[in-house]
C-alpha cells in the first residue's frame, strides 16, 4: 500500500476561501443571468475626474443587471 505525503498545501486557507467565494459568485451570476463587466474610465486633463463617468456607467450596469 502506497502512502503519499504532500509537504505543503498547494493553496493557503485564504486562497481556498476566496476560490469558494468566487465559485459562489459565478453560480449566482449564472442563476440570475448576470453579466460581468468592467468599467474603463479615463479623462483628458489632470483637472478632470472619472467620478461622473463612474456614476453614469454604474447606473447603466445596474439597470441592465450587469455585475461590475
Amino acid at each position: 500500500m502506497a502512502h503519499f505525503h504532500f509537504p505543503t498545501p498547494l493553496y493557503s486557507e485564504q486562497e481556498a476561501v476566496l476560490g469558494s467565494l468566487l465559485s459562489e459568485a459565478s453560480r449566482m451570476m449564472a442563476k440570475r443571468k448576470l453579466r460581468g463587466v468592467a468599467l474603463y474610465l479615463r479623462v483628458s486633463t489632470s483637472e478632470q475626474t472619472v467620478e461622473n463617468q463612474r456614476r453614469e456607467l454604474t447606473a447603466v450596469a445596474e439597470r441592465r443587471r450587469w455585475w461590475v
Side-chain angles (χ1 to χ4, degrees), residues 6 10 14 17 22 24-25 28 34 42 44-45 49 59 64 68:
F6 298 99
L10 297 177
Q14 291 169 334
V17 169
L22 290 174
E24 181 63 25
M28 287 173 59
L34 295 177
R42 64 179 294 237
S44 300
T45 68
T49 68
R64 295 185 182 193
V68 179

Side-chain angles (χ1 to χ4, degrees), residues 2-6:
H3 293 280
F4 295 98
H5 180 316
F6 298 99

Side-chain angles (χ1 to χ4, degrees), residues 37-55:
V37 297
L39 301 180
Y40 175 73
L41 310 170
R42 64 179 294 237
V43 294
S44 300
T45 68
S46 60
E47 291 84 30
Q48 297 173 325
T49 68
V50 296
E51 292 312 309
N52 289 338
Q53 293 175 32
R54 183 188 322 273
R55 190 173 25 260

